[in-house]
Amino acid sequence: MNKQPYNIFDLPTRHLTDQHYVPPKARRSDEIERRHNLPSGTVLAEQQRDGLAVASHILDHVESAEDVDFATSMVAVSGMNTSWYSYGRGADVMRRRLELPTLATEDDDWRETREGLFIKAKKGLVHAAELANIYVRSTIDRAPTVRAKRFIGRHMGNVSLQLACVRLGNAPLSLSAFDTQVIARDQSLETLELSRIIGQQIGSHPSIAQFADPDSPTAIYWRRHAPNGAYDAYERAITEVRDAA
């Protein structure tokens, strides 16, 4: 019996235990008053929406392989944790299913390219930002639903797996589809583990919301470790999102 290539990734519902990111407190009197009148959870939802916009802009501005690899890895790591917060944490099951990106098929010689998967992931981030904006409005209207939150989390998880596997595109034809998908699964597991390791190093688990806060642990880690192109892409993205607000 031929083995079918892996196409599912299990997100564990037990993942992070502490060191969760908390948005910085407001400093200006008008922002303090605005937040006082908002329902609980709105500020974090807003930061997640804005963080998705920043991440999307970053990927629009990275070009070299080194910059793309760093950016996709960091957004994937942050996105996996964000997916867990919305889709995995508190679930009454052991695992939450995500879609492992298809990099090869058994029936023909088709192989996903780096560019193709990168484009899919960028489109997925844009859609995630749209979903997050809808969720912010529903939160302000005091009508958020658990189902909507989980839907966004699942979508973010799927996009994160695509980003994690971008560097695996253009798999050689000498590698079977099954083996290619095994490598994709292993890369996804490494990304999940890295999302915990980085959190232990910087004192707060990476998350998409932190991209909107240039003083967050994730943003500081980015500026300290990013190659020049990815560094500049983050600075440019922050400016573009702020100017568009």
Side-chain angles (χ1 to χ4, degrees), residues 28-98:
R28 301 194 318 270
S29 59
D30 57 339
E31 178 62 13
I32 292 173
E33 182 178 358
R34 187 188 78 89
R35 291 188 182 188
H36 180 73
N37 295 321
L38 290 174
S40 176
T42 305
V43 173
L44 185 58
E46 288 176 334
Q47 273 203 234
Q48 180 170 307
R49 174 201 62 197
D50 296 344
L52 282 165
V54 171
S56 180
H57 280 257
I58 287 171
L59 297 189
D60 283 337
H61 298 314
V62 288
E63 296 180 358
S64 74
E66 180 185 25
D67 293 324
V68 169
D69 284 349
F70 179 87
T72 54
S73 176
M74 275 303 298
V75 177
V77 163
S78 303
M80 288 297 288
N81 284 340
T82 298
S83 176
W84 179 80
Y85 281 124
S86 299
Y87 183 51
R89 181 167 63 171
D92 55 1
V93 294
M94 292 296 293
R95 306 272 180 191
R96 287 289 198 185
R97 283 194 162 188
L98 297 176

Side-chain angles (χ1 to χ4, degrees), residues 124-170:
L125 272 183
V126 172
H127 185 50
E130 294 168 349
L131 294 174
N133 190 45
I134 294 171
Y135 186 76
V136 167
R137 294 202 299 268
S138 69
T139 302
I140 293 174
D141 293 338
R142 302 179 188 276
T145 65
V146 173
R147 182 178 180 181
K149 184 177 182 180
R150 288 178 178 171
F151 183 83
I152 295 173
R154 186 172 186 270
H155 177 75
M156 192 63 239
N158 291 337
V159 172
S160 298
L161 294 180
Q162 292 175 342
L163 290 168
C165 292
V166 163
R167 65 184 61 196
L168 303 179
N170 302 100

Side-chain angles (χ1 to χ4, degrees), residues 114-126:
R114 281 176 58 102
E115 181 182 8
L117 194 54
F118 188 48
I119 291 172
K120 288 178 183 178
K122 289 202 295 183
K123 289 180 178 178
L125 272 183
V126 172

Side-chain angles (χ1 to χ4, degrees), residues 192-214:
L192 184 67
E193 179 64 18
L194 187 60
S195 71
R196 288 190 292 262
I197 293 173
I198 293 179
Q200 294 166 0
Q201 293 174 349
I202 67 178
S204 178
H205 297 296
S207 64
I208 292 296
Q210 294 184 56
F211 281 80
D213 174 10

